[in-house]
Amino acid sequence: MINKEAYLSISGKLAEKKITLVAVSKTKPVEDILALYNLGQRDFGENYVQELAEKAQQLPADIHWHFIGHLQSNKVKLIIPLVQLIQGVDSLKLLKEIDKEAGKAGKIINCLLQVHISGEETKFGLDETELDEIMTSPSKFKHVHIQGLMGMASFTDDMNLVRTEFKYLKILFDNHAKHPTSNPEKSGQAIQFQTISTGMSADYQIAIEEGSNMVRIGSLIFGERK
Ligand SMILES: *Cc1c(COP(=O)(O)O)cnc(C)c1O
């Protein structure tokens, strides 16, 4: 069961600010996704390839699927025909694989680079050096559009820490948005920095205060996951 009131309130506020709401539907049934779709929602996020593929098959074709989880290289081929945006590009190896498979499919795939912004060991993501490496060699990638950055804050109640992590991502974003290679003319279209994807149910308001323009919200809309 979706929380219709919460959805309408959140999506209304975000629309006013031109912030993209990705409704995170992982583990939730297609009926719930369809209920939200019928309220006008089009962007949905999933973090397992198989689950996304099964749901996409049963749901309207104009849904924009966001892959928000850790993507294994051997699953890239499967996801390419289905996905609007791959949010969690967390290694150079993965980006190369996406570029290769997108090329074979004759597609250009939209990607966000996932940066490791929390102090936690377990979170996936690029460090600053790896980010620089990708950002300074965009001509290597002919079949991806790098549209910005994605980050996940620490899993904590300490909202000051969370805020600091979001601020850090915004600084990286601004630095790279100014970088000459983010200029489409110089980067051969590979890099077009426009999106900062941060913020989940618990911290999306802070994320927005710190510059996010794409939030990924699951439990507030769909209810708690088991
Ligand atoms: C599950 C998930 C979300 C949504 O989490 P909620 O706390 O339910 O809003 C956002 N981003 C990623 C990457 C996720 O895996």
Side-chain angles (χ1 to χ4, degrees), residues 64-100:
H64 293 164
W65 292 104
H66 295 240
F67 191 80
I68 61 171
H70 170 62
L71 181 57
Q72 291 166 292
S73 292
N74 62 358
K75 299 273 171 68
V76 167
K77 200 186 188 130
L78 256 170
I79 203 85
I80 277 191
L82 304 170
V83 83
Q84 171 77 18
L85 179 62
I86 299 179
Q87 294 212 12
V89 179
D90 55 12
S91 71
L92 179 58
K93 177 174 170 253
L94 177 59
L95 186 65
K96 285 180 175 163
E97 183 66 19
I98 295 169
D99 190 55
K100 188 181 94 189

Side-chain angles (χ1 to χ4, degrees), residues 162-172 209-210:
V162 167
R163 189 181 292 279
T164 307
E165 294 169 355
F166 289 152
K167 274 189 202 295
Y168 169 60
L169 191 71
K170 178 69 161 71
I171 289 169
L172 290 179
E209 285 166 21
E210 300 305 334

Side-chain angles (χ1 to χ4, degrees), residues 24 26 47 68-69 150 152 199-202 216-220 225:
V24 176
K26 62 189 183 194
N47 64 351
I68 61 171
M150 184 263 210
M152 284 177 81
M200 316 192 344
S201 290
R216 309 175 309 265
I217 298 183
S219 39
L220 276 185
R225 288 177 300 273

